[in-house]
Amino acid sequence: MERVPMDENAAARQRLTALIDSLGDDGLTRPVTPSWTVATVLAQLAFWDRWAQTLVRRWRSGELPPPSVPPWYDDALNHTLLPTWQALPGREAARIARAAAEEADHEIEKAETPVVAGILASGQSNLLDRATPRNDALDRIERALR
């Protein structure tokens, strides 16, 4: 990635918003996998958008994150947080997913060129590309809703 995919992030955020607006309470409780509901996937997405927002903010303030984490790190966080995400009411999970996407995109848009270059050089393009994980989550949700 050589640029911040702002248009793609915005399109994925709009897709997320449209999906959330279309969901009733039954849709939010629909299973995506045996352990994950639509609401759980939305809560997870909110967490990772907030994570990206926080780390981009730290990059912008000069507080660089650790240079690397072990390959199992993301899975460990997902496993650890799953019970919390499952406990959230569906509407609350949807609300925080929408807010987190908006706020992450806003923080990413404020990232100056040297910050973007540093993030990309560090191999952390996922902090800037929020479209890919959003679209992946939305694809899983839409398959479950069929």
Side-chain angles (χ1 to χ4, degrees), residues 125-144:
S125 62
N126 61 306
L127 299 178
L128 304 172
D129 174 12
R130 302 311 305 149
T132 298
R134 287 178 196 154
N135 284 324
D136 289 347
L138 292 169
D139 289 347
R140 287 184 296 145
I141 289 169
E142 287 170 353
R143 279 193 300 276

Side-chain angles (χ1 to χ4, degrees), residues 73-87:
Y73 190 79
D74 291 357
D75 286 338
L77 283 173
N78 286 332
H79 181 75
T80 302
L81 292 167
L82 180 59
T84 302
W85 297 333
Q86 290 169 327

